[in-house]
């Protein structure tokens, strides 16, 4: 069997969809690099994340203050009916000043879109910060309890 390839773009091909009989995944290629694929069994999208393909990696700074200001809400899009399930999310206008790389503006109509997948590392970092605070509080609490016991309380 042969692999099936579909190029997207006119004269300067940038994107390519590729499905191979060996794994049957729908691979997504950009400028000859595989950026992700859709799993043939589950349909789940998997983004390329191999550290060997990354450069200039820098630890995220503390983000607790930024995360605390985000307003999460439930909503329906204007085109959805009342019987449609609600969505959960943020406003791109609220996110843009805090995490501008997660928001893109359409050049055609100015609408904002957001990379929700990009929130995963931020939420992980936020969780780690909260966990460190909790661990610090536990140590301080244990020290206070020990002092209280030592004072006969």
């Amino acid at each position: 069997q042969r692999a099936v390839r579909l190029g997207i773009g006119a004269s300067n091909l940038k994107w390519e969809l590729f499905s191979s009989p060996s794994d049957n995944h729908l691979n997504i290629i950009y400028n000859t690099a595989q950026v992700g694929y859709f799993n043939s069994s589950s349909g789940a999208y998997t983004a390329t994340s191999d550290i060997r393909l990354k450069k200039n990696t820098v630890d995220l700074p503390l983000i607790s203050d930024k995360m605390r200001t985000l307003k999460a809400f439930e909503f329906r899009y204007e085109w959805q009916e009342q019987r449609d399930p609600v969505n959960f999310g943020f406003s791109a206008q609220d996110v843009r000043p805090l995490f501008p790389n997660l928001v893109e503006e359409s050049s055609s109509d100015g609408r904002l879109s957001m990379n929700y997948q990009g929130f995963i590392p931020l939420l992980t970092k936020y969780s780690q910060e909260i966990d460190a605070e909790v661990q610090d509080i536990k140590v301080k609490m244990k020290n206070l309890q020990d002092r209280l016991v030592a004072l006969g309380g």
Side-chain angles (χ1 to χ4, degrees), residues 4 6 16-20 23-29 34 36-40 44-46:
V4 177
L6 170 65
E16 186 176 350
L17 298 177
F18 173 79
S19 179
S20 170
D23 62 14
N24 287 324
H25 297 321
L26 181 58
N27 299 287
I28 303 168
I29 315 299
Q34 181 175 342
Y37 66 87
F38 289 96
N39 184 288
S40 60
Y45 176 73
T46 302

Side-chain angles (χ1 to χ4, degrees), residues 2-63:
R2 292 184 356 193
V4 177
R5 292 180 183 271
L6 170 65
I8 302 171
S11 59
N12 191 2
L13 181 64
K14 298 261 186 205
W15 289 96
E16 186 176 350
L17 298 177
F18 173 79
S19 179
S20 170
S22 63
D23 62 14
N24 287 324
H25 297 321
L26 181 58
N27 299 287
I28 303 168
I29 315 299
Y30 181 74
N31 279 346
T32 71
Q34 181 175 342
V35 295
Y37 66 87
F38 289 96
N39 184 288
S40 60
S41 299
S42 67
Y45 176 73
T46 302
T48 298
S49 187
D50 192 315
I51 192 68
R52 296 172 296 178
L53 302 175
K54 299 176 181 185
K55 60 183 179 181
N56 304 328
T57 60
V58 177
D59 288 344
L60 288 174
L62 296 177
I63 60 168

Side-chain angles (χ1 to χ4, degrees), residues 89-110:
F90 305 106
S91 161
Q93 285 81 352
D94 292 341
V95 172
R96 188 183 222 174
L98 303 171
F99 305 106
N101 56 325
L102 295 181
V103 177
E104 290 190 30
E105 185 172 345
S106 168
S107 59
S108 63
D109 62 11

Side-chain angles (χ1 to χ4, degrees), residues 90-153:
F90 305 106
S91 161
Q93 285 81 352
D94 292 341
V95 172
R96 188 183 222 174
L98 303 171
F99 305 106
N101 56 325
L102 295 181
V103 177
E104 290 190 30
E105 185 172 345
S106 168
S107 59
S108 63
D109 62 11
R111 289 186 186 187
L112 301 180
S113 59
M114 209 161 51
N115 173 5
Y116 277 94
Q117 185 177 348
F119 271 102
I120 295 170
L122 299 175
L123 292 170
T124 301
K125 175 70 174 178
Y126 186 43
S127 175
Q128 291 167 341
E129 290 176 22
I130 292 170
D131 184 60
E133 290 178 24
V134 168
Q135 296 307 316
D136 185 51
I137 290 169
K138 284 181 176 181
V139 167
K140 289 176 180 175
M141 197 161 146
K142 173 78 169 99
N143 290 341
L144 287 173
Q145 287 173 336
D146 291 347
R147 288 176 62 194
L148 187 60
V149 168
L151 291 172

